[in-house]
Amino acid sequence: MKLTILGCHSATPRTNTNPTSQVLEIKNHMFLIDCGEGTQVELRRNKIKFNRIKHIFISHLHGDHYFGLIGLVSTFRLLTRETELHIYGPKGIKEIITLQLKLSDSWTNFPLIFHELTSKESELIFEDDKVKVYTIPLKHRIYTNGFLFREKENERKLDIGAVLNANIDRAYYQKLKQGADVVNEDGVLIDNISVTKDPIPPKSYAYCSDTAYNEDIIPIINNASVLYHESTFLDKNENLCERTKHSTARQAAIIAKKANVETLILGHYSTRYNGYEGFLLEASEEFDNVLLAKDGKSFDFSSLSLV
Amino acid sequence: MKLTILGCHSATPRTNTNPTSQVLEIKNHMFLIDCGEGTQVELRRNKIKFNRIKHIFISHLHGDHYFGLIGLVSTFRLLTRETELHIYGPKGIKEIITLQLKLSDSWTNFPLIFHELTSKESELIFEDDKVKVYTIPLKHRIYTNGFLFREKENERKLDIGAVLNANIDRAYYQKLKQGADVVNEDGVLIDNISVTKDPIPPKSYAYCSDTAYNEDIIPIINNASVLYHESTFLDKNENLCERTKHSTARQAAIIAKKANVETLILGHYSTRYNGYEGFLLEASEEFDNVLLAKDGKSFDFSSLSLV
């Protein structure tokens, strides 16, 4: 599982900062999360193959999270893409995209499938044999969802010595991996746990941007491997959080602690500050394992867990 | 009069090429012409003050000419702009922009005034005391206009020696500048031309992108100081012009010659070619005064005329 930050700044794109977009590589998927203006150029810069992106998750319809989407869809079209593209986002996103395709007389050659979201409860919006994606309802000025990406349980690992000792037919190995007890060659029921080892624990990634401090998300993101939580402001501007429905770095860290996540990544920085150390310092007073997002930076989740 | 090219490439933004956008400085106006994705960042890079932009002209609703508009409007809003903004473009542009403002619950604080275009004939769309702007109907896959920016006649210059000699009251000087004959202190009618000199000739700029070869535009752009004409292709790909409704560099130069313009600037290059010399070479076989647009390059019209 690997996260690449294409942009992690709030409000407007600038010559040296990009609005929000990131790519999550999980079980052979390349999930694009949010798509601020300029995302297609950042994808190129980070050498991410356009064709591998089949699912795009849009948190909300503020421009710094989606103004790059129509350009990306249009570029896919110009590149004669045929692979289907799924877009998950708030109700309205389909109208925005299709209106522009219609007026430019440029329908896509590939299937463009919208999954419009309206629920205020967390819901399962994607599932295949290895991954589940849930929404995380957030508290912002307009309807907004975070997303929880969860690997499914991996298969149990065979304890080969024990399996051979137990005289189990090879035909049952797959059942053992799936956790079942099986009957051996001698007609004895073998307890699964006596011949298998625990699988590699599945990892999960919770993306929460944009949101005010909101403890309601804690049960949803509980024990996540990695939490990306917006931290638009520092303590000294905490007074802006209520009106803008954003969080401070400290608030992000309190959520991380209460939700018992392994690692917190901060991002969605206001561009009013010089440097990022303040975010790290204030969050680290509340929670131990804090990392800073940075445009163009990648996080490998297997090495993060060693921190 | 000064033209700054923010982007002059066709189709999709890339790490080192920008889609179409340019700024024309004319008689204290800063006119933004087209607004591809990333234009707001290029405005910053070229240090053009956002507040000086009060009029935006959009040629057509293909993404490489307008996908940056909603982001720019939103940034104006975030910067608490109060100055009114006029947007000229094809019918539909108002719906695209206002739909997105509505869904993000982000109405502008400044007056946002749309001038939607539908006419297939050239029409006057802007006029003040110093400048007129006309549409140039182009031939493209969807409804498209170029724009002709024309300085009005400058005032005649007083030939001070002759004026004093002619014994004309100071109160009539402004009338003289405006070209009127006046009666002098001795009751004699003074012929304007005997006491004034010709004004600096007004300049004009014709922007024609995107378009197939189209001689219908010649009477409209005739004698323009500068013509920017798209040159998407080289001769070897001329066969693509018919389907895509684009031009070659050579065709742009033939239009320049037939319209008797002073200078031709080429742009809207297809990114299939390496380098730009081919465009210059092929156009120069048809027309003498050819320049190449380049992202970030400025053209000062007063020095251009010396070429």
Side-chain angles (χ1 to χ4, degrees):
Chain A
M1 213 159 162
K2 183 182 163 191
L3 179 71
T4 300
I5 307 292
L6 303 176
C8 61
H9 293 81
S10 67
T12 68
R14 291 164 173 255
T15 49
N16 55 353
T17 63
N18 302 319
T20 300
S21 185
Q22 44 185 251
V23 177
L24 182 71
E25 201 170 344
I26 173 175
K27 298 284 184 192
N28 220 25
H29 289 292
M30 281 286 210
F31 289 144
L32 183 67
I33 308 167
D34 280 340
C35 188
E37 185 174 353
T39 292
Q40 61 175 310
V41 172
E42 296 310 313
L43 285 168
R44 288 186 194 272
R45 207 187 303 276
N46 287 277
K47 304 203 186 312
I48 291 164
K49 292 216 168 66
F50 284 6
N51 250 330
R52 290 200 58 198
I53 296 170
K54 295 171 189 165
H55 303 271
I56 301 178
F57 299 86
I58 301 293
S59 61
H60 66 302
L61 296 181
H62 280 156
D64 55 332
H65 293 255
Y66 90 92
F67 281 165
L69 182 59
I70 179 65
L72 185 61
V73 168
S74 299
T75 293
F76 285 165
R77 176 184 166 274
L78 286 170
L79 297 175
T80 66
R81 176 189 177 109
E82 292 180 356
T83 319
E84 63 184 31
L85 180 68
H86 294 264
I87 296 175
Y88 305 78
K91 187 166 171 54
I93 195 153
K94 181 176 179 180
E95 187 182 359
I96 289 172
I97 299 300
T98 54
L99 172 66
Q100 293 182 83
L101 295 176
K102 186 185 80 176
L103 286 170
S104 63
D105 195 18
S106 305
W107 295 109
T108 61
N109 311 304
F110 57 89
L112 182 58
I113 301 147
F114 291 90
H115 305 264
E116 291 200 314
L117 307 175
T118 53
S119 174
K120 289 179 177 169
E121 306 292 324
S122 177
E123 57 180 345
L124 179 68
I125 56 172
F126 173 85
E127 180 172 13
D128 69 2
D129 56 336
K130 295 194 171 157
V131 178
K132 285 182 168 187
V133 183
Y134 298 86
T135 57
I136 308 169
L138 299 177
K139 202 187 277 182
H140 195 41
R141 300 197 299 282
I142 57 173
Y143 177 73
T144 304
N145 288 294
F147 301 102
L148 176 69
F149 302 86
R150 191 179 278 289
E151 289 180 353
K152 290 188 175 179
E153 285 286 334
N154 293 300
E155 290 185 330
R156 296 189 65 78
K157 291 190 284 190
L158 298 185
D159 179 344
I160 286 298
V163 169
L164 292 174
N165 262 346
N167 197 23
I168 299 169
D169 189 284
R170 191 171 270 276
Y172 289 111
Y173 286 5
Q174 191 53 37
K175 280 203 160 180
L176 286 176
K177 287 182 187 171
Q178 290 163 3
D181 300 334
V182 299
V183 176
N184 75 357
E185 296 289 281
D186 312 318
V188 179
L189 183 69
I190 304 293
D191 191 19
N192 185 285
I193 217 156
S194 69
V195 293
T196 65
K197 295 176 186 169
D198 285 346
I200 300 166
K203 294 200 173 292
S204 58
Y205 174 59
Y207 170 83
C208 296
S209 185
D210 297 354
T211 188
Y213 179 81
N214 178 15
E215 294 193 356
D216 293 348
I217 68 176
I218 292 171
I220 306 169
I221 67 173
N222 211 30
N223 298 324
S225 313
V226 177
L227 165 65
Y228 178 96
H229 193 291
E230 74 127 290
S231 59
T232 306
F233 299 118
L234 295 177
D235 285 346
K236 63 182 172 188
N237 296 113
E238 192 188 338
N239 61 313
L240 298 177
C241 290
E242 178 53 32
R243 181 174 58 80
T244 63
K245 298 281 182 276
H246 283 302
S247 306
T248 62
R250 185 181 302 280
Q251 289 170 338
I254 293 170
I255 293 288
K257 188 176 185 181
K258 292 196 175 188
N260 193 37
V261 306
E262 290 170 25
T263 302
L264 168 66
I265 299 176
L266 298 176
H268 200 267
Y269 313 115
S270 165
T271 50
R272 77 188 58 210
Y273 307 113
N274 287 324
Y276 305 97
E277 284 308 305
F279 296 96
L280 186 61
L281 280 174
E282 292 180 7
S284 296
E285 286 175 19
E286 308 293 336
F287 184 72
D288 284 337
N289 207 355
V290 182
L291 299 174
L292 292 173
K294 197 179 150 194
D295 295 3
K297 184 171 175 180
S298 287
F299 297 92
D300 184 328
F301 284 24
S302 57
S303 52
L304 281 184
S305 62
L306 300 176
V307 174
Chain B
M1 213 160 160
K2 182 182 164 192
L3 179 70
T4 300
I5 308 292
L6 304 177
C8 61
H9 293 81
S10 68
T12 67
R14 290 163 174 258
T15 48
N16 54 354
T17 65
N18 302 320
T20 299
S21 185
Q22 43 185 252
V23 177
L24 182 71
E25 202 169 344
I26 174 175
K27 298 285 183 190
N28 219 24
H29 290 294
M30 281 286 208
F31 289 145
L32 182 67
I33 308 168
D34 280 339
C35 189
E37 184 174 352
T39 292
Q40 61 174 309
V41 173
E42 296 310 312
L43 285 168
R44 288 185 194 271
R45 207 186 304 277
N46 288 276
K47 305 203 186 310
I48 291 164
K49 292 214 168 67
F50 284 7
N51 250 330
R52 289 202 58 199
I53 297 171
K54 294 171 189 166
H55 303 272
I56 301 178
F57 299 87
I58 300 294
S59 62
H60 66 301
L61 296 182
H62 280 157
D64 54 333
H65 293 254
Y66 90 92
F67 281 167
L69 181 59
I70 179 64
L72 186 60
V73 169
S74 299
T75 293
F76 285 165
R77 177 185 165 274
L78 286 171
L79 297 175
T80 64
R81 177 190 177 108
E82 291 179 358
T83 318
E84 64 183 30
L85 180 69
H86 294 264
I87 296 175
Y88 305 78
K91 187 166 169 55
I93 196 153
K94 181 177 178 178
E95 186 182 357
I96 290 172
I97 300 299
T98 52
L99 172 66
Q100 294 182 81
L101 295 177
K102 185 185 79 177
L103 287 170
S104 62
D105 194 17
S106 303
W107 296 109
T108 61
N109 311 304
F110 56 90
L112 182 59
I113 301 147
F114 292 90
H115 305 263
E116 292 199 315
L117 307 174
T118 53
S119 173
K120 289 177 178 172
E121 306 292 325
S122 177
E123 56 180 345
L124 179 68
I125 56 172
F126 172 86
E127 181 173 12
D128 68 5
D129 56 338
K130 295 193 172 157
V131 178
K132 285 181 168 186
V133 184
Y134 298 86
T135 57
I136 308 169
L138 299 177
K139 202 187 278 181
H140 195 42
R141 301 197 299 281
I142 57 174
Y143 178 73
T144 303
N145 288 295
F147 301 101
L148 176 68
F149 302 85
R150 191 179 279 287
E151 289 179 355
K152 290 188 176 178
E153 285 286 333
N154 293 300
E155 290 185 332
R156 297 190 65 77
K157 289 190 286 190
L158 299 185
D159 179 344
I160 286 298
V163 169
L164 293 174
N165 264 346
N167 197 23
I168 299 169
D169 189 282
R170 191 173 272 276
Y172 289 109
Y173 286 6
Q174 190 54 36
K175 280 203 159 180
L176 286 176
K177 287 182 188 170
Q178 289 161 5
D181 301 333
V182 300
V183 176
N184 75 356
E185 298 289 283
D186 312 315
V188 180
L189 183 69
I190 305 293
D191 190 22
N192 185 284
I193 217 157
S194 69
V195 293
T196 64
K197 296 176 186 170
D198 285 346
I200 301 166
K203 294 199 173 293
S204 57
Y205 173 59
Y207 169 83
C208 297
S209 187
D210 297 357
T211 187
Y213 180 82
N214 177 16
E215 294 193 356
D216 295 348
I217 69 176
I218 292 172
I220 306 169
I221 67 173
N222 211 30
N223 298 323
S225 314
V226 177
L227 167 64
Y228 177 97
H229 193 292
E230 75 126 289
S231 58
T232 307
F233 299 118
L234 295 177
D235 285 347
K236 63 182 172 188
N237 296 114
E238 192 188 337
N239 61 312
L240 298 177
C241 289
E242 178 52 33
R243 181 174 58 79
T244 63
K245 297 282 183 274
H246 283 301
S247 307
T248 63
R250 185 180 303 279
Q251 291 170 337
I254 293 170
I255 294 289
K257 188 177 185 182
K258 293 195 175 189
N260 192 38
V261 307
E262 290 171 25
T263 303
L264 169 65
I265 299 176
L266 297 176
H268 201 266
Y269 313 115
S270 164
T271 50
R272 76 188 59 211
Y273 308 113
N274 288 324
Y276 305 98
E277 284 308 304
F279 295 95
L280 186 62
L281 280 173
E282 293 181 6
S284 296
E285 286 174 18
E286 307 293 336
F287 184 73
D288 284 338
N289 207 356
V290 182
L291 299 173
L292 292 174
K294 197 179 150 193
D295 296 2
K297 186 171 174 179
S298 287
F299 297 92
D300 184 329
F301 284 23
S302 57
S303 52
L304 280 183
S305 61
L306 301 175
V307 175

